[in-house]
Amino acid sequence: MKFIDKIKIVVVGCLTALNSLLGIMAIPFYILVGTNIVDYFTGIAASAYRGEAVNSNKGFRGIAKKVCMWLLVAIGYILDYCLIIMGNTIGITIEFKCLVSVAVIFWLLFNEIISILENINDIGTPLPPFVMDIAKFLKDKADVNDFE
């Protein structure tokens, strides 16, 4: 068996395990990862237009921030699991299996979309005003507490 075939087997196995773990949250999570990547690269591109220097320390902090977003999703997943266990313990059937984690994903998605739009605007691409308004409206509706 070729080395590349072994790599493919490992990658497919890992993605299959991740899909199984995430279940219904898989697609929103993959969209979040995609927006993380787009935000990272549009942020690098926009930094030149903002007059900011791009360096490895700043890049590492950006990557660490994205990884922490994924950890927030994991914390939401743990909270969902705890709610289900607690509900079962006191005799309440909880129909939703991933309420907190999906809410976290969408809140992070809205933040990433706003950041991407700001980066695109800083690069000099004109934005339709309603696009930013919609993104901010959705984020505001998802906000329970503003920790910023």
Side-chain angles (χ1 to χ4, degrees), residues 30-41:
Y30 295 148
I31 293 170
L32 175 63
V33 172
T35 57
N36 287 152
I37 293 167
V38 170
D39 182 47
Y40 184 79
F41 286 110

Side-chain angles (χ1 to χ4, degrees), residues 64-83:
K65 181 180 175 183
K66 305 305 180 193
V67 170
C68 287
M69 288 181 182
W70 304 339
L71 290 174
L72 281 174
V73 174
I75 290 169
Y77 186 81
I78 291 166
L79 290 172
D80 284 329
Y81 182 75
C82 291
L83 287 171

